[in-house]
Amino acid sequence: EAQVTQNPRYLITVTGKKLTVTCSQNMNHEYMSWYRQDPGLGLRQIYYSMNVEVTDKGDVPEGYKVSRKEKRNFPLILESPSPNQTSLYFCASSSRTTTGEQYFGPGTRLTVT
Amino acid sequence: KNEVEQSPQNLTAQEGEFITINCSYSVGISALHWLQQHPGGGIVSLFMLSSGKKKHGRLIATINIQEKHSSLHITASHPRDSAVYICAATPLGTSGSRLTFGEGTQLTVNP
């Protein structure tokens, strides 16, 4: 089954404790992205990747890091989380060569206290 | 001002009504996406458009490149269509993974 998986689905952590949210897709997609969704602000892109080792900043990259060492994985790293990073996070992937349909992961709800 | 704007923000309809959600954008784009977010939070892609019109079941999406405007229509609406509908654009000159989003339209269809 074609899918994007994210782990963990729920995470409560404390300010300053480094964390990684993993994202993996099994569709051999070139494009992958991370988004955050906040009430009243909608979805905003954090980082995106066009292929292995090719990443770029989205609209709200501050406080986040990403890496794309393998085509299927695109982890999101919060080196020193702060309460303003409490949010719902989505990973997504799409193909460069086909319809461009976006495939979203199920979301990760992060709370930073 | 957001580069992508949707209207209305909230929409309530009776079952069977024809529904239109609008999306306007202020920059040149290479693609326009319509997404649906279910009450449980999951997001699915409905359409990707670069020109013209697409139809899938009771859903129709249109885009007018000159007017920088897209619409999502739902015919014979049903309570299961209740969801948040989001448009997103890929600006010209960026890769297909770059998206800028509208605020979303909360649709409620009453039986």
Side-chain angles (χ1 to χ4, degrees):
Chain A
E1 180 193 352
Q3 60 181 352
V4 178
T5 57
Q6 292 179 230
N7 283 290
R9 295 288 312 280
Y10 302 90
L11 179 60
I12 301 173
T13 190
V14 296
T15 299
K17 185 176 181 182
K18 180 179 178 179
L19 67 92
T20 299
V21 185
T22 64
C23 173
S24 184
Q25 50 95 3
N26 63 359
M27 295 165 280
N28 201 38
H29 285 165
E30 294 81 9
Y31 297 154
M32 297 186 75
S33 295
W34 276 103
Y35 307 96
R36 61 180 289 175
Q37 186 176 39
D38 302 289
L41 296 175
L43 282 159
R44 293 177 292 170
Q45 194 167 40
I46 303 170
Y47 270 96
Y48 59 101
S49 171
M50 290 71 80
N51 214 325
V52 175
E53 302 290 5
V54 184
T55 63
D56 206 349
K57 296 176 182 178
D59 298 309
V60 287
E62 296 79 17
Y64 304 95
K65 284 176 59 176
V66 293
S67 68
R68 187 97 181 269
K69 293 182 170 33
E70 304 166 285
K71 199 171 185 180
R72 64 183 292 122
N73 296 322
F74 191 43
L76 179 70
I77 302 157
L78 285 72
E79 295 267 4
S80 183
S82 62
N84 65 13
Q85 293 178 297
T86 292
S87 188
L88 179 58
Y89 292 86
F90 289 98
C91 178
S93 73
S94 62
S95 170
R96 181 176 62 84
T97 57
T98 58
T99 63
E101 178 181 357
Q102 300 284 322
Y103 290 80
F104 283 81
T108 295
R109 187 164 294 281
L110 172 66
T111 302
V112 184
T113 61
Chain B
K1 190 180 187 322
N2 289 341
E3 291 180 335
V4 179
E5 295 198 329
Q6 285 184 238
S7 62
Q9 280 193 305
N10 294 282
L11 181 57
T12 300
Q14 288 301 120
E15 183 172 356
E17 286 185 358
F18 181 84
I19 287 163
T20 296
I21 299 170
N22 297 298
C23 177
S24 298
Y25 49 93
S26 57
V27 297
I29 67 169
S30 58
L32 189 290
H33 298 257
W34 282 102
L35 310 171
Q36 179 192 54
Q37 186 167 26
H38 298 292
I43 301 174
V44 296
S45 180
L46 299 176
F47 297 103
M48 190 195 81
L49 296 160
S50 53
S51 64
K53 176 179 174 178
K54 287 190 177 179
K55 183 175 189 290
H56 186 260
R58 295 179 296 105
L59 301 178
I60 303 166
T62 63
I63 190 168
N64 185 317
I65 298 294
Q66 286 74 26
E67 294 186 4
K68 292 187 166 63
H69 181 268
S70 176
S71 293
L72 176 68
H73 305 286
I74 305 174
T75 62
S77 60
H78 190 275
R80 65 174 174 267
D81 297 325
S82 297
V84 176
Y85 291 84
I86 303 166
C87 72
T90 297
L92 278 173
T94 66
S95 81
S97 59
R98 178 78 177 103
L99 289 180
T100 301
F101 295 86
E103 305 92 336
T105 296
Q106 173 71 60
L107 171 65
T108 303
V109 181
N110 293 317

